[in-house]
């Protein structure tokens, strides 16, 4: 959980910062770039936490169990 919470804070902060800069420099101080980039940060963080807690949810990943028998 610690990784997920810290990842959420970092990604949200980066998204917020990028949104503020984009809003100030490119979009004439509109608020929608801030909301969209913050949402992107939250979404990326959520996806990474989902991969951490459930690695079988990643497309193309197959978990193979080791058998206790060794063939000689």
């Amino acid at each position: 959980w610690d990784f997920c919470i810290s990842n959420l804070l970092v990604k949200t902060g980066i998204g917020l910062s990028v949104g503020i800069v984009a809003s100030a420099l490119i979009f004439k101080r509109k608020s929608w770039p801030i909301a969209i980039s913050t949402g992107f940060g939250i979404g990326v963080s959520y996806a990474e936490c989902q991969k951490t807690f459930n690695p079988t949810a990643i497309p193309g990943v197959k978990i193979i169990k080791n058998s206790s028998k060794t063939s000689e």
Side-chain angles (χ1 to χ4, degrees):
W1 280 101
D2 293 338
F3 171 74
C4 288
I5 292 171
S6 65
N7 195 15
L8 175 72
L9 293 174
V10 169
K11 300 282 168 91
T12 304
I14 291 171
L16 180 68
S17 302
V18 169
I20 290 172
V21 169
S23 175
L25 296 178
I26 299 170
F27 297 107
K28 299 180 183 178
R29 303 200 189 271
K30 303 285 184 189
S31 63
W32 64 265
I34 298 170
I36 288 177
S37 60
T38 303
F40 282 155
I42 292 170
V44 168
S45 174
Y46 178 78
E48 288 182 8
C49 285
Q50 187 176 10
K51 289 178 187 176
T52 301
F53 287 122
N54 189 7
T56 59
I58 302 170
V61 172
K62 185 176 182 181
I63 306 296
I64 301 173
K65 295 181 181 180
N66 281 339
S67 63
S68 60
K69 298 178 183 179
T70 58
S71 59
E72 294 182 18

Short mmCIF file of all heavy atoms in Angstrom, two decimals:
data_model
loop_
_atom_site.label_atom_id
_atom_site.label_comp_id
_atom_site.label_asym_id
_atom_site.label_seq_id
_atom_site.Cartn_x
_atom_site.Cartn_y
_atom_site.Cartn_z
N TRP A 1 0.81 -1.19 0.00
CA TRP A 1 0.00 0.00 0.00
C TRP A 1 0.86 1.27 0.00
O TRP A 1 0.47 2.28 -0.54
CB TRP A 1 -0.93 0.01 1.21
CG TRP A 1 -2.13 -0.85 1.00
CD1 TRP A 1 -2.34 -2.11 1.47
CD2 TRP A 1 -3.29 -0.52 0.23
NE1 TRP A 1 -3.57 -2.56 1.05
CE2 TRP A 1 -4.17 -1.60 0.29
CE3 TRP A 1 -3.66 0.60 -0.49
CZ2 TRP A 1 -5.40 -1.60 -0.33
CZ3 TRP A 1 -4.89 0.60 -1.13
CH2 TRP A 1 -5.74 -0.49 -1.04
N ASP A 2 2.01 1.20 0.67
CA ASP A 2 2.87 2.38 0.72
C ASP A 2 3.31 2.82 -0.66
O ASP A 2 3.32 4.01 -0.98
CB ASP A 2 4.10 2.10 1.59
CG ASP A 2 3.76 1.90 3.05
OD1 ASP A 2 2.70 2.38 3.47
OD2 ASP A 2 4.56 1.27 3.76
N PHE A 3 3.67 1.84 -1.50
CA PHE A 3 4.09 2.15 -2.86
C PHE A 3 2.95 2.81 -3.63
O PHE A 3 3.16 3.79 -4.35
CB PHE A 3 4.54 0.88 -3.58
CG PHE A 3 4.78 1.07 -5.05
CD1 PHE A 3 5.89 1.75 -5.49
CD2 PHE A 3 3.88 0.59 -5.97
CE1 PHE A 3 6.11 1.95 -6.84
CE2 PHE A 3 4.08 0.78 -7.33
CZ PHE A 3 5.20 1.46 -7.76
N CYS A 4 1.75 2.29 -3.47
CA CYS A 4 0.60 2.83 -4.22
C CYS A 4 0.26 4.25 -3.78
O CYS A 4 -0.04 5.11 -4.62
CB CYS A 4 -0.60 1.92 -4.05
SG CYS A 4 -0.43 0.38 -4.95
N ILE A 5 0.30 4.50 -2.50
CA ILE A 5 -0.03 5.84 -2.00
C ILE A 5 1.02 6.85 -2.42
O ILE A 5 0.70 7.95 -2.89
CB ILE A 5 -0.22 5.81 -0.47
CG1 ILE A 5 -1.48 5.01 -0.13
CG2 ILE A 5 -0.32 7.23 0.09
CD1 ILE A 5 -1.66 4.73 1.34
N SER A 6 2.31 6.48 -2.29
CA SER A 6 3.35 7.41 -2.71
C SER A 6 3.32 7.62 -4.22
O SER A 6 3.54 8.74 -4.70
CB SER A 6 4.72 6.91 -2.27
OG SER A 6 5.05 5.70 -2.92
N ASN A 7 3.05 6.56 -4.98
CA ASN A 7 2.93 6.67 -6.43
C ASN A 7 1.77 7.59 -6.81
O ASN A 7 1.88 8.41 -7.72
CB ASN A 7 2.76 5.29 -7.03
CG ASN A 7 3.00 5.25 -8.51
OD1 ASN A 7 3.56 6.17 -9.09
ND2 ASN A 7 2.58 4.17 -9.13
N LEU A 8 0.65 7.47 -6.09
CA LEU A 8 -0.51 8.33 -6.34
C LEU A 8 -0.15 9.79 -6.10
O LEU A 8 -0.48 10.66 -6.92
CB LEU A 8 -1.68 7.92 -5.45
CG LEU A 8 -2.90 8.83 -5.52
CD1 LEU A 8 -3.63 8.64 -6.84
CD2 LEU A 8 -3.82 8.57 -4.35
N LEU A 9 0.52 10.08 -5.02
CA LEU A 9 0.88 11.46 -4.71
C LEU A 9 1.85 12.04 -5.74
O LEU A 9 1.70 13.18 -6.18
CB LEU A 9 1.47 11.55 -3.30
CG LEU A 9 0.51 11.25 -2.16
CD1 LEU A 9 1.25 11.24 -0.83
CD2 LEU A 9 -0.62 12.25 -2.13
N VAL A 10 2.84 11.25 -6.13
CA VAL A 10 3.83 11.74 -7.09
C VAL A 10 3.20 11.96 -8.46
O VAL A 10 3.36 13.02 -9.07
CB VAL A 10 5.02 10.76 -7.18
CG1 VAL A 10 5.92 11.09 -8.35
CG2 VAL A 10 5.80 10.77 -5.89
N LYS A 11 2.45 10.97 -8.96
CA LYS A 11 1.86 11.08 -10.30
C LYS A 11 0.80 12.19 -10.35
O LYS A 11 0.70 12.91 -11.34
CB LYS A 11 1.23 9.76 -10.73
CG LYS A 11 2.20 8.60 -10.80
CD LYS A 11 3.03 8.65 -12.03
CE LYS A 11 4.16 7.73 -12.02
NZ LYS A 11 4.38 6.52 -12.38
N THR A 12 0.03 12.34 -9.30
CA THR A 12 -0.96 13.40 -9.26
C THR A 12 -0.29 14.77 -9.22
O THR A 12 -0.71 15.70 -9.89
CB THR A 12 -1.89 13.23 -8.04
OG1 THR A 12 -2.49 11.94 -8.10
CG2 THR A 12 -2.97 14.28 -8.02
N GLY A 13 0.79 14.87 -8.44
CA GLY A 13 1.52 16.14 -8.37
C GLY A 13 2.16 16.51 -9.70
O GLY A 13 2.14 17.67 -10.11
N ILE A 14 2.72 15.52 -10.38
CA ILE A 14 3.31 15.79 -11.70
C ILE A 14 2.23 16.20 -12.68
O ILE A 14 2.40 17.16 -13.45
CB ILE A 14 4.10 14.56 -12.20
CG1 ILE A 14 5.34 14.35 -11.34
CG2 ILE A 14 4.47 14.69 -13.66
CD1 ILE A 14 6.08 13.06 -11.62
N GLY A 15 1.10 15.50 -12.67
CA GLY A 15 0.00 15.86 -13.56
C GLY A 15 -0.52 17.26 -13.28
O GLY A 15 -0.80 18.03 -14.20
N LEU A 16 -0.65 17.59 -12.01
CA LEU A 16 -1.12 18.92 -11.63
C LEU A 16 -0.14 19.99 -12.11
O LEU A 16 -0.54 21.02 -12.66
CB LEU A 16 -1.30 19.00 -10.11
CG LEU A 16 -1.79 20.32 -9.55
CD1 LEU A 16 -3.22 20.58 -9.98
CD2 LEU A 16 -1.68 20.31 -8.04
N SER A 17 1.15 19.74 -11.93
CA SER A 17 2.17 20.70 -12.35
C SER A 17 2.16 20.91 -13.86
O SER A 17 2.22 22.05 -14.35
CB SER A 17 3.56 20.22 -11.91
OG SER A 17 3.60 20.06 -10.53
N VAL A 18 2.10 19.81 -14.60
CA VAL A 18 2.05 19.90 -16.06
C VAL A 18 0.80 20.65 -16.50
O VAL A 18 0.85 21.48 -17.42
CB VAL A 18 2.13 18.50 -16.70
CG1 VAL A 18 1.81 18.53 -18.17
CG2 VAL A 18 3.50 17.90 -16.46
N GLY A 19 -0.32 20.39 -15.85
CA GLY A 19 -1.56 21.08 -16.18
C GLY A 19 -1.50 22.57 -15.92
O GLY A 19 -2.00 23.38 -16.71
N ILE A 20 -0.89 22.96 -14.81
CA ILE A 20 -0.77 24.38 -14.49
C ILE A 20 0.12 25.09 -15.51
O ILE A 20 -0.22 26.17 -16.00
CB ILE A 20 -0.24 24.56 -13.06
CG1 ILE A 20 -1.31 24.14 -12.05
CG2 ILE A 20 0.21 25.99 -12.80
CD1 ILE A 20 -0.83 24.09 -10.62
N VAL A 21 1.24 24.46 -15.85
CA VAL A 21 2.15 25.07 -16.83
C VAL A 21 1.47 25.16 -18.20
O VAL A 21 1.54 26.21 -18.87
CB VAL A 21 3.47 24.26 -16.91
CG1 VAL A 21 4.30 24.70 -18.09
CG2 VAL A 21 4.24 24.40 -15.61
N ALA A 22 0.80 24.09 -18.61
CA ALA A 22 0.12 24.11 -19.91
C ALA A 22 -1.00 25.14 -19.91
O ALA A 22 -1.21 25.84 -20.91
CB ALA A 22 -0.44 22.73 -20.22
N SER A 23 -1.71 25.25 -18.81
CA SER A 23 -2.79 26.22 -18.72
C SER A 23 -2.26 27.65 -18.81
O SER A 23 -2.85 28.49 -19.49
CB SER A 23 -3.55 26.03 -17.41
OG SER A 23 -4.52 27.03 -17.24
N ALA A 24 -1.16 27.91 -18.15
CA ALA A 24 -0.62 29.26 -18.13
C ALA A 24 0.04 29.65 -19.45
O ALA A 24 -0.09 30.78 -19.91
CB ALA A 24 0.39 29.39 -17.00
N LEU A 25 0.75 28.70 -20.07
CA LEU A 25 1.52 29.04 -21.26
C LEU A 25 0.76 28.86 -22.57
O LEU A 25 0.97 29.63 -23.51
CB LEU A 25 2.81 28.21 -21.30
CG LEU A 25 3.80 28.44 -20.17
CD1 LEU A 25 4.99 27.52 -20.32
CD2 LEU A 25 4.23 29.89 -20.12
N ILE A 26 -0.07 27.84 -22.65
CA ILE A 26 -0.65 27.49 -23.94
C ILE A 26 -2.13 27.85 -24.04
O ILE A 26 -2.58 28.38 -25.05
CB ILE A 26 -0.45 25.98 -24.22
CG1 ILE A 26 1.04 25.65 -24.25
CG2 ILE A 26 -1.11 25.56 -25.52
CD1 ILE A 26 1.36 24.17 -24.28
N PHE A 27 -2.91 27.56 -23.01
CA PHE A 27 -4.36 27.64 -23.11
C PHE A 27 -4.99 28.87 -22.47
O PHE A 27 -6.17 28.86 -22.12
CB PHE A 27 -4.98 26.37 -22.53
CG PHE A 27 -4.60 25.13 -23.29
CD1 PHE A 27 -3.71 24.22 -22.75
CD2 PHE A 27 -5.12 24.89 -24.54
CE1 PHE A 27 -3.35 23.08 -23.44
CE2 PHE A 27 -4.75 23.75 -25.25
CZ PHE A 27 -3.87 22.84 -24.70
N LYS A 28 -4.24 29.92 -22.28
CA LYS A 28 -4.76 31.21 -21.79
C LYS A 28 -5.53 31.08 -20.48
O LYS A 28 -6.64 31.57 -20.34
CB LYS A 28 -5.62 31.88 -22.86
CG LYS A 28 -4.85 32.18 -24.13
CD LYS A 28 -5.74 32.84 -25.15
CE LYS A 28 -4.95 33.06 -26.43
NZ LYS A 28 -5.77 33.65 -27.49
N ARG A 29 -4.93 30.39 -19.55
CA ARG A 29 -5.44 30.24 -18.18
C ARG A 29 -6.81 29.57 -18.08
O ARG A 29 -7.64 29.93 -17.25
CB ARG A 29 -5.44 31.57 -17.46
CG ARG A 29 -4.07 32.21 -17.43
CD ARG A 29 -3.95 33.24 -16.36
NE ARG A 29 -2.71 33.98 -16.47
CZ ARG A 29 -1.58 33.61 -15.90
NH1 ARG A 29 -1.53 32.53 -15.19
NH2 ARG A 29 -0.51 34.35 -16.04
N LYS A 30 -7.06 28.60 -18.92
CA LYS A 30 -8.27 27.78 -18.80
C LYS A 30 -8.03 26.73 -17.72
O LYS A 30 -6.90 26.35 -17.43
CB LYS A 30 -8.61 27.09 -20.12
CG LYS A 30 -8.78 28.04 -21.28
CD LYS A 30 -10.10 28.75 -21.19
CE LYS A 30 -10.27 29.61 -22.44
NZ LYS A 30 -11.38 30.47 -22.37
N SER A 31 -9.10 26.18 -17.15
CA SER A 31 -8.93 25.21 -16.06
C SER A 31 -8.95 23.76 -16.52
O SER A 31 -8.52 22.87 -15.80
CB SER A 31 -10.02 25.42 -15.01
OG SER A 31 -11.29 25.19 -15.57
N TRP A 32 -9.42 23.48 -17.73
CA TRP A 32 -9.55 22.09 -18.16
C TRP A 32 -8.22 21.37 -18.33
O TRP A 32 -8.15 20.16 -18.08
CB TRP A 32 -10.43 21.97 -19.40
CG TRP A 32 -9.90 22.65 -20.63
CD1 TRP A 32 -10.21 23.90 -21.06
CD2 TRP A 32 -9.00 22.10 -21.59
NE1 TRP A 32 -9.54 24.17 -22.22
CE2 TRP A 32 -8.79 23.08 -22.57
CE3 TRP A 32 -8.35 20.88 -21.71
CZ2 TRP A 32 -7.96 22.88 -23.66
CZ3 TRP A 32 -7.51 20.68 -22.80
CH2 TRP A 32 -7.32 21.68 -23.76
N PRO A 33 -7.12 22.02 -18.73
CA PRO A 33 -5.85 21.26 -18.81
C PRO A 33 -5.38 20.76 -17.45
O PRO A 33 -4.78 19.68 -17.35
CB PRO A 33 -4.85 22.26 -19.40
CG PRO A 33 -5.66 23.30 -20.06
CD PRO A 33 -6.93 23.37 -19.29
N ILE A 34 -5.68 21.51 -16.41
CA ILE A 34 -5.29 21.10 -15.06
C ILE A 34 -6.07 19.86 -14.66
O ILE A 34 -5.50 18.88 -14.14
CB ILE A 34 -5.53 22.25 -14.06
CG1 ILE A 34 -4.66 23.44 -14.43
CG2 ILE A 34 -5.24 21.79 -12.63
CD1 ILE A 34 -4.98 24.71 -13.66
N ALA A 35 -7.37 19.85 -14.92
CA ALA A 35 -8.20 18.70 -14.55
C ALA A 35 -7.83 17.46 -15.35
O ALA A 35 -7.74 16.36 -14.79
CB ALA A 35 -9.67 19.06 -14.77
N ILE A 36 -7.59 17.63 -16.64
CA ILE A 36 -7.28 16.46 -17.47
C ILE A 36 -5.93 15.86 -17.10
O ILE A 36 -5.79 14.65 -16.96
CB ILE A 36 -7.33 16.85 -18.97
CG1 ILE A 36 -8.78 17.05 -19.38
CG2 ILE A 36 -6.66 15.78 -19.83
CD1 ILE A 36 -8.95 17.50 -20.81
N SER A 37 -4.91 16.70 -16.92
CA SER A 37 -3.59 16.15 -16.61
C SER A 37 -3.55 15.55 -15.20
O SER A 37 -2.86 14.54 -14.98
CB SER A 37 -2.52 17.23 -16.77
OG SER A 37 -2.77 18.31 -15.91
N THR A 38 -4.29 16.11 -14.27
CA THR A 38 -4.37 15.50 -12.93
C THR A 38 -5.08 14.15 -13.01
O THR A 38 -4.67 13.18 -12.37
CB THR A 38 -5.11 16.44 -11.96
OG1 THR A 38 -4.44 17.69 -11.93
CG2 THR A 38 -5.14 15.86 -10.56
N GLY A 39 -6.12 14.07 -13.81
CA GLY A 39 -6.82 12.80 -14.01
C GLY A 39 -5.93 11.75 -14.67
O GLY A 39 -5.99 10.57 -14.32
N PHE A 40 -5.11 12.18 -15.62
CA PHE A 40 -4.16 11.25 -16.23
C PHE A 40 -3.19 10.70 -15.19
O PHE A 40 -2.87 9.51 -15.17
CB PHE A 40 -3.36 11.92 -17.35
CG PHE A 40 -4.12 12.08 -18.64
CD1 PHE A 40 -3.76 13.07 -19.53
CD2 PHE A 40 -5.17 11.25 -18.97
CE1 PHE A 40 -4.44 13.24 -20.73
CE2 PHE A 40 -5.87 11.41 -20.16
CZ PHE A 40 -5.50 12.40 -21.04
N GLY A 41 -2.71 11.56 -14.31
CA GLY A 41 -1.79 11.12 -13.25
C GLY A 41 -2.44 10.12 -12.32
O GLY A 41 -1.83 9.10 -11.95
N ILE A 42 -3.68 10.36 -11.95
CA ILE A 42 -4.41 9.43 -11.08
C ILE A 42 -4.64 8.11 -11.80
O ILE A 42 -4.50 7.03 -11.22
CB ILE A 42 -5.73 10.05 -10.61
CG1 ILE A 42 -5.46 11.22 -9.66
CG2 ILE A 42 -6.63 9.02 -9.94
CD1 ILE A 42 -6.67 12.05 -9.32
N GLY A 43 -4.98 8.17 -13.08
CA GLY A 43 -5.22 6.95 -13.85
C GLY A 43 -3.99 6.09 -14.02
O GLY A 43 -4.05 4.87 -13.90
N VAL A 44 -2.85 6.72 -14.27
CA VAL A 44 -1.60 5.96 -14.41
C VAL A 44 -1.24 5.32 -13.07
O VAL A 44 -0.81 4.16 -13.02
CB VAL A 44 -0.47 6.89 -14.91
CG1 VAL A 44 0.88 6.22 -14.79
CG2 VAL A 44 -0.73 7.31 -16.34
N SER A 45 -1.41 6.04 -12.01
CA SER A 45 -1.12 5.49 -10.68
C SER A 45 -2.04 4.31 -10.36
O SER A 45 -1.59 3.30 -9.83
CB SER A 45 -1.28 6.58 -9.63
OG SER A 45 -1.15 6.05 -8.34
N TYR A 46 -3.30 4.43 -10.68
CA TYR A 46 -4.25 3.34 -10.45
C TYR A 46 -3.86 2.10 -11.25
O TYR A 46 -3.91 0.99 -10.73
CB TYR A 46 -5.66 3.80 -10.81
CG TYR A 46 -6.70 2.71 -10.65
CD1 TYR A 46 -7.19 2.39 -9.39
CD2 TYR A 46 -7.16 2.00 -11.74
CE1 TYR A 46 -8.13 1.39 -9.23
CE2 TYR A 46 -8.09 1.00 -11.60
CZ TYR A 46 -8.58 0.70 -10.34
OH TYR A 46 -9.49 -0.31 -10.21
N ALA A 47 -3.47 2.29 -12.49
CA ALA A 47 -3.09 1.16 -13.33
C ALA A 47 -1.84 0.45 -12.78
O ALA A 47 -1.77 -0.78 -12.78
CB ALA A 47 -2.83 1.62 -14.76
N GLU A 48 -0.87 1.22 -12.31
CA GLU A 48 0.33 0.61 -11.74
C GLU A 48 0.03 -0.14 -10.45
O GLU A 48 0.59 -1.20 -10.20
CB GLU A 48 1.40 1.67 -11.52
CG GLU A 48 2.00 2.16 -12.82
CD GLU A 48 3.10 3.19 -12.62
OE1 GLU A 48 3.52 3.41 -11.46
OE2 GLU A 48 3.55 3.75 -13.63
N CYS A 49 -0.87 0.39 -9.63
CA CYS A 49 -1.25 -0.32 -8.40
C CYS A 49 -2.02 -1.60 -8.72
O CYS A 49 -1.85 -2.60 -8.05
CB CYS A 49 -2.08 0.58 -7.50
SG CYS A 49 -1.10 1.81 -6.66
N GLN A 50 -2.84 -1.56 -9.74
CA GLN A 50 -3.57 -2.76 -10.13
C GLN A 50 -2.60 -3.84 -10.60
O GLN A 50 -2.78 -5.01 -10.30
CB GLN A 50 -4.56 -2.42 -11.23
CG GLN A 50 -5.48 -3.55 -11.59
CD GLN A 50 -6.52 -3.14 -12.61
OE1 GLN A 50 -6.45 -2.06 -13.18
NE2 GLN A 50 -7.48 -4.00 -12.85
N LYS A 51 -1.57 -3.46 -11.33
CA LYS A 51 -0.55 -4.42 -11.76
C LYS A 51 0.21 -4.99 -10.57
O LYS A 51 0.61 -6.14 -10.58
CB LYS A 51 0.43 -3.76 -12.73
CG LYS A 51 -0.15 -3.45 -14.07
CD LYS A 51 0.87 -2.75 -14.95
CE LYS A 51 0.27 -2.28 -16.24
NZ LYS A 51 1.23 -1.51 -17.05
N THR A 52 0.42 -4.17 -9.55
CA THR A 52 1.14 -4.62 -8.36
C THR A 52 0.33 -5.65 -7.59
O THR A 52 0.86 -6.69 -7.18
CB THR A 52 1.46 -3.43 -7.44
OG1 THR A 52 2.24 -2.48 -8.17
CG2 THR A 52 2.23 -3.88 -6.22
N PHE A 53 -0.96 -5.40 -7.40
CA PHE A 53 -1.79 -6.29 -6.60
C PHE A 53 -2.31 -7.50 -7.36
O PHE A 53 -2.62 -8.51 -6.76
CB PHE A 53 -2.96 -5.52 -5.98
CG PHE A 53 -2.56 -4.60 -4.87
CD1 PHE A 53 -2.83 -3.26 -4.94
CD2 PHE A 53 -1.90 -5.09 -3.76
CE1 PHE A 53 -2.46 -2.41 -3.92
CE2 PHE A 53 -1.52 -4.25 -2.73
CZ PHE A 53 -1.80 -2.91 -2.82
N ASN A 54 -2.44 -7.38 -8.68
CA ASN A 54 -2.98 -8.48 -9.46
C ASN A 54 -2.18 -8.64 -10.75
O ASN A 54 -2.58 -8.15 -11.80
CB ASN A 54 -4.46 -8.22 -9.78
CG ASN A 54 -5.14 -9.41 -10.40
OD1 ASN A 54 -4.55 -10.49 -10.48
ND2 ASN A 54 -6.36 -9.23 -10.85
N PRO A 55 -1.04 -9.33 -10.69
CA PRO A 55 -0.19 -9.44 -11.88
C PRO A 55 -0.83 -10.26 -13.00
O PRO A 55 -0.40 -10.16 -14.14
CB PRO A 55 1.08 -10.10 -11.37
CG PRO A 55 0.69 -10.77 -10.11
CD PRO A 55 -0.45 -9.98 -9.54
N THR A 56 -1.84 -11.05 -12.71
CA THR A 56 -2.49 -11.84 -13.77
C THR A 56 -3.41 -10.98 -14.63
O THR A 56 -3.87 -11.44 -15.66
CB THR A 56 -3.29 -13.00 -13.17
OG1 THR A 56 -4.29 -12.48 -12.29
CG2 THR A 56 -2.39 -13.96 -12.43
N ALA A 57 -3.68 -9.74 -14.23
CA ALA A 57 -4.55 -8.86 -15.00
C ALA A 57 -3.83 -8.22 -16.18
O ALA A 57 -4.45 -7.59 -17.01
CB ALA A 57 -5.11 -7.76 -14.10
N ILE A 58 -2.52 -8.39 -16.25
CA ILE A 58 -1.75 -7.82 -17.35
C ILE A 58 -1.96 -8.69 -18.58
O ILE A 58 -1.75 -9.90 -18.54
CB ILE A 58 -0.26 -7.75 -16.99
CG1 ILE A 58 -0.06 -6.94 -15.72
CG2 ILE A 58 0.55 -7.16 -18.14
CD1 ILE A 58 1.34 -7.02 -15.15
N PRO A 59 -2.38 -8.12 -19.70
CA PRO A 59 -2.60 -8.92 -20.90
C PRO A 59 -1.30 -9.58 -21.38
O PRO A 59 -0.25 -8.96 -21.41
CB PRO A 59 -3.08 -7.91 -21.95
CG PRO A 59 -3.53 -6.74 -21.17
CD PRO A 59 -2.75 -6.73 -19.90
N GLY A 60 -1.39 -10.85 -21.70
CA GLY A 60 -0.23 -11.58 -22.21
C GLY A 60 0.61 -12.24 -21.15
O GLY A 60 1.58 -12.92 -21.47
N VAL A 61 0.26 -12.07 -19.88
CA VAL A 61 1.04 -12.69 -18.80
C VAL A 61 0.37 -13.99 -18.41
O VAL A 61 -0.84 -14.06 -18.20
CB VAL A 61 1.12 -11.75 -17.58
CG1 VAL A 61 1.76 -12.46 -16.40
CG2 VAL A 61 1.90 -10.52 -17.93
N LYS A 62 1.17 -15.03 -18.33
CA LYS A 62 0.66 -16.34 -17.93
C LYS A 62 1.50 -16.84 -16.77
O LYS A 62 2.72 -16.90 -16.85
CB LYS A 62 0.75 -17.31 -19.10
CG LYS A 62 0.15 -18.66 -18.83
CD LYS A 62 0.18 -19.53 -20.07
CE LYS A 62 -0.47 -20.87 -19.79
NZ LYS A 62 -0.43 -21.74 -20.98
N ILE A 63 0.84 -17.18 -15.67
CA ILE A 63 1.52 -17.68 -14.48
C ILE A 63 1.63 -19.19 -14.60
O ILE A 63 0.63 -19.89 -14.77
CB ILE A 63 0.76 -17.31 -13.19
CG1 ILE A 63 0.51 -15.80 -13.13
CG2 ILE A 63 1.48 -17.80 -11.97
CD1 ILE A 63 1.74 -14.95 -13.03
N ILE A 64 2.85 -19.70 -14.55
CA ILE A 64 3.09 -21.13 -14.65
C ILE A 64 3.57 -21.62 -13.29
O ILE A 64 4.54 -21.10 -12.74
CB ILE A 64 4.15 -21.44 -15.73
CG1 ILE A 64 3.67 -20.92 -17.08
CG2 ILE A 64 4.45 -22.93 -15.77
CD1 ILE A 64 4.72 -21.02 -18.17
N LYS A 65 2.89 -22.62 -12.75
CA LYS A 65 3.25 -23.18 -11.47
C LYS A 65 4.38 -24.18 -11.64
O LYS A 65 4.40 -24.96 -12.59
CB LYS A 65 2.07 -23.86 -10.81
CG LYS A 65 0.95 -22.93 -10.44
CD LYS A 65 -0.18 -23.67 -9.77
CE LYS A 65 -1.30 -22.72 -9.44
NZ LYS A 65 -2.41 -23.40 -8.78
N ASN A 66 5.34 -24.14 -10.71
CA ASN A 66 6.41 -25.14 -10.72
C ASN A 66 5.91 -26.43 -10.12
O ASN A 66 5.24 -26.43 -9.09
CB ASN A 66 7.62 -24.64 -9.91
CG ASN A 66 8.45 -23.66 -10.67
OD1 ASN A 66 8.41 -23.60 -11.90
ND2 ASN A 66 9.21 -22.86 -9.95
N SER A 67 6.22 -27.53 -10.75
CA SER A 67 5.83 -28.81 -10.17
C SER A 67 6.94 -29.26 -9.23
O SER A 67 8.11 -28.99 -9.43
CB SER A 67 5.59 -29.85 -11.26
OG SER A 67 6.79 -30.07 -11.97
N SER A 68 6.56 -29.95 -8.18
CA SER A 68 7.54 -30.40 -7.21
C SER A 68 8.32 -31.61 -7.71
O SER A 68 9.34 -31.96 -7.15
CB SER A 68 6.87 -30.71 -5.87
OG SER A 68 5.91 -31.74 -6.07
N LYS A 69 7.85 -32.24 -8.77
CA LYS A 69 8.54 -33.39 -9.33
C LYS A 69 9.60 -32.93 -10.30
O LYS A 69 9.39 -32.03 -11.11
CB LYS A 69 7.56 -34.31 -10.07
CG LYS A 69 6.49 -34.89 -9.20
CD LYS A 69 5.57 -35.72 -10.03
CE LYS A 69 4.42 -36.26 -9.20
NZ LYS A 69 3.50 -37.05 -10.00
N THR A 70 10.75 -33.53 -10.24
CA THR A 70 11.79 -33.24 -11.21
C THR A 70 11.97 -34.42 -12.11
O THR A 70 12.05 -35.57 -11.67
CB THR A 70 13.13 -32.92 -10.52
OG1 THR A 70 13.52 -34.02 -9.70
CG2 THR A 70 13.02 -31.67 -9.67
N SER A 71 11.97 -34.20 -13.38
CA SER A 71 12.13 -35.29 -14.32
C SER A 71 13.60 -35.46 -14.66
O SER A 71 14.30 -34.50 -14.97
CB SER A 71 11.32 -35.03 -15.59
OG SER A 71 11.77 -33.83 -16.17
N GLU A 72 14.08 -36.68 -14.54
CA GLU A 72 15.47 -36.96 -14.83
C GLU A 72 15.58 -37.99 -15.91
O GLU A 72 14.85 -38.84 -16.13
CB GLU A 72 16.18 -37.43 -13.57
CG GLU A 72 16.25 -36.32 -12.55
CD GLU A 72 16.99 -36.78 -11.31
OE1 GLU A 72 17.72 -37.77 -11.34
OE2 GLU A 72 16.82 -36.14 -10.30
#
